[in-house]
Amino acid sequence: MVNQNAYQLGANRSCIRDLFEYGRQRAAIVGEENVYDYSLGNPSIPSPPQVDEAVRQILLDTPTLQVHGYTSAVGDLATQQAIADDLNQRYNAGCRAEDFFIGCGAAPELVAVFRALAVPEGELLAIAPYFPEYKPFAEEAGLIFKVVPPDVPEFQIKLDAVEAMLTPNTQAVLVNSPNNPSGVVYTRQTLRALAELLTRKSEEYGHPIYIISDEPYRELAYGVEVPFVPTIYPHTIVCYSYSKSLSLPGERIGYVYVPQAAADSREIYAAVAGAARSAGHVCAPSLWQKVIARCAQLRPDLDAYDRNRRALYEGLTEMGYEMAKPDGAFYLFIKAPGGDANAFSEKAKKRDLLLVPGDGFGCPGYFRICYCVSYDMIQRSLPVFRALLND
Ligand code: PLP
């Protein structure tokens, strides 16, 4: 006998993975250059050269046993300190080394935070459109997962809908900015209004409602501010990842930050560490912790993404496609012509153009494009987008 929830999750690939695998099969038949695969968010710019250089240096100047040994369960102090110093320099955030739990990327960090906040009847509010994995993460952790409807067409946050969905059981509101899949960056004004609402409702209910800020795309913004949420709302728990910012998704490294100013900060921190422990997820990769200790201040060179973003946004808008302004991450979230994103995506698939329908993101009627692809592929795909409009 097997656990049915686990079985269903393992046996059924996500729609994104399905499309990606389909693209690989088609490429083998029609040729790589004839498939326009916008399915998967795998970074397409290399890590900054200092990252590889740091790996080389660490291997040269650190005893092998130290490079590959267990670190402290919550992470190396040097790594925690380097991250705290970087955030303090950028945001004057008052971070301390001991506020950081070094984790294996945003996914397991979110799981740990959800488990840490999962009290009986506890509810988690996600804002549509949202990263599809949130739902299984939250439900497996024991939280009731609720979705706030999207704020179309800007994809900021519908505050009246948030307010209507808050209850005395709400443990946290989950935000993700820059956003996957919309590419939208929540403005300071939006976040301030959310903070005011949560402050008021926390007082009314007599317990804090946390913001969980999922920030793998924090450094991927094109000329707009990405506010650091804990400086706007102290009861914020940050899940950060170097998967996208330093193009290291295969290395599994990131952190949870529980600000000192958050309500019950040390209890939350201990519960995150405990939740990670009971999930068997402690001691993030030692080599990569050492790399981050040396590279926490590095930022990606976004020129290639920005060029792709502009080519698609301008090209598609001019054809008549509608989308919110994509100021961050590497996604566009586009209104499906005709209104049915599944039908449109199927039609596109017949032309080997792979687009992810928005249903899984809690937002039917839209499809997602992931533009961490070659500029050349974008240029070749534009006529296909045009042809689809004329179909
Ligand atoms: N959160 C969002 C919004 C994401 O898009 C992703 C990955 O694509 C993750 C979390 C998981 O990131 P990681 O690779 O750090 O586990």
Side-chain angles (χ1 to χ4, degrees):
M1 288 207 294
V2 294
N3 175 290
Q4 277 309 302
N5 285 348
Y7 171 75
Q8 290 303 337
L9 282 173
N12 300 309
R13 269 197 309 244
S14 76
C15 148
I16 298 173
R17 284 273 160 194
D18 259 352
L19 262 182
F20 176 72
E21 296 301 336
Y22 174 82
R24 295 299 79 223
Q25 286 164 15
R26 286 296 294 163
I29 298 166
V30 299
E32 195 78 45
E33 68 288 1
N34 296 314
V35 178
Y36 317 104
D37 183 356
Y38 286 106
S39 63
L40 200 63
N42 220 352
S44 61
I45 56 173
S47 306
Q50 295 93 321
V51 169
D52 287 351
E53 188 48 38
V55 174
R56 274 190 286 272
Q57 277 306 320
I58 291 163
L59 292 176
L60 285 176
D61 67 27
T62 315
T64 308
L65 278 175
Q66 271 180 39
V67 176
H68 302 303
Y70 287 127
T71 65
S72 153
V74 298
D76 254 340
L77 180 58
T79 312
Q80 296 168 306
Q81 190 64 58
I83 297 166
D85 290 346
D86 178 54
L87 291 174
N88 288 339
Q89 198 183 1
R90 294 165 75 191
Y91 306 114
N92 194 18
C95 305
R96 305 170 308 170
E98 65 265 35
D99 301 331
F100 293 86
F101 175 88
I102 310 299
C104 302
E109 290 155 15
L110 287 163
V111 169
V113 172
F114 293 172
R115 288 169 66 128
L117 294 179
V119 296
E121 311 299 325
E123 296 171 1
L124 175 72
L125 258 56
I127 320 277
Y130 63 86
F131 180 54
E133 298 297 279
Y134 291 158
K135 188 170 163 18
F137 291 172
E139 289 179 346
E140 280 293 307
L143 286 167
I144 298 166
F145 185 73
K146 293 176 147 186
V147 178
V148 178
D151 171 42
V152 284
E154 279 89 13
F155 292 118
Q156 292 285 317
I157 300 177
K158 241 183 183 201
L159 282 169
D160 50 350
V162 175
E163 177 153 13
M165 292 180 72
L166 290 170
T167 77
N169 289 331
T170 309
Q171 285 284 78
V173 176
L174 175 56
V175 299
N176 165 227
S177 169
N179 184 265
N180 174 10
S182 72
V184 162
V185 177
Y186 293 153
T187 63
R188 182 169 283 276
Q189 198 189 358
T190 296
L191 292 167
R192 271 207 189 122
L194 178 65
E196 274 165 29
L197 170 63
L198 296 185
T199 304
R200 179 160 55 79
K201 295 304 267 189
S202 297
E203 271 166 27
E204 183 184 325
Y205 298 146
H207 67 81
I209 302 170
Y210 293 94
I211 288 182
I212 301 171
S213 184
D214 177 27
E215 306 185 351
Y217 303 97
R218 189 202 298 143
E219 325 302 354
L220 275 61
Y222 310 94
V224 297
E225 180 200 20
V226 180
F228 187 54
V229 187
T231 59
I232 295 177
Y233 187 65
H235 314 298
T236 297
I237 305 167
V238 172
C239 294
Y240 185 84
S241 162
Y242 294 93
S243 293
K244 321 286 172 165
S245 59
L246 294 183
S247 294
L248 295 172
E251 308 300 356
R252 314 311 303 149
I253 189 80
Y255 60 80
V256 179
Y257 168 52
V258 186
Q260 190 183 8
D264 304 323
S265 165
R266 290 323 287 172
E267 285 86 346
I268 298 282
Y269 183 92
V272 169
R277 177 181 168 196
S278 66
H281 149 227
V282 286
C283 259
S286 165
L287 170 63
W288 290 96
Q289 289 198 50
K290 291 177 174 44
V291 171
I292 296 307
R294 297 178 188 212
C295 297
Q297 76 295 347
L298 288 183
R299 308 286 166 257
D301 174 355
L302 296 176
D303 285 356
Y305 289 155
D306 195 20
R307 186 169 175 233
N308 288 358
R309 178 183 77 103
R310 280 183 284 112
L312 277 164
Y313 181 62
E314 285 158 22
L316 295 178
T317 309
E318 189 222 319
M319 285 177 210
Y321 286 94
E322 292 171 39
M323 70 207 82
K325 187 124 185 295
D327 285 325
F330 38 50
Y331 305 103
L332 299 177
F333 203 49
I334 303 173
K335 197 169 176 187
D340 182 341
N342 286 292
F344 189 78
S345 166
E346 277 305 312
K347 219 164 64 166
K349 206 168 154 189
K350 294 206 171 72
R351 294 177 180 265
D352 291 316
L353 173 63
L354 306 185
L355 314 169
V356 182
D359 302 47
F361 303 103
C363 199
Y366 286 76
F367 62 86
R368 187 188 79 169
I369 277 187
C370 176
Y371 58 80
C372 38
V373 295
S374 74
Y375 184 71
D376 183 50
M377 187 193 101
I378 291 174
Q379 293 301 326
R380 283 183 284 110
S381 73
L382 286 174
V384 185
F385 279 102
R386 191 180 291 281
L388 276 170
L389 276 185
N390 298 333
D391 264 359

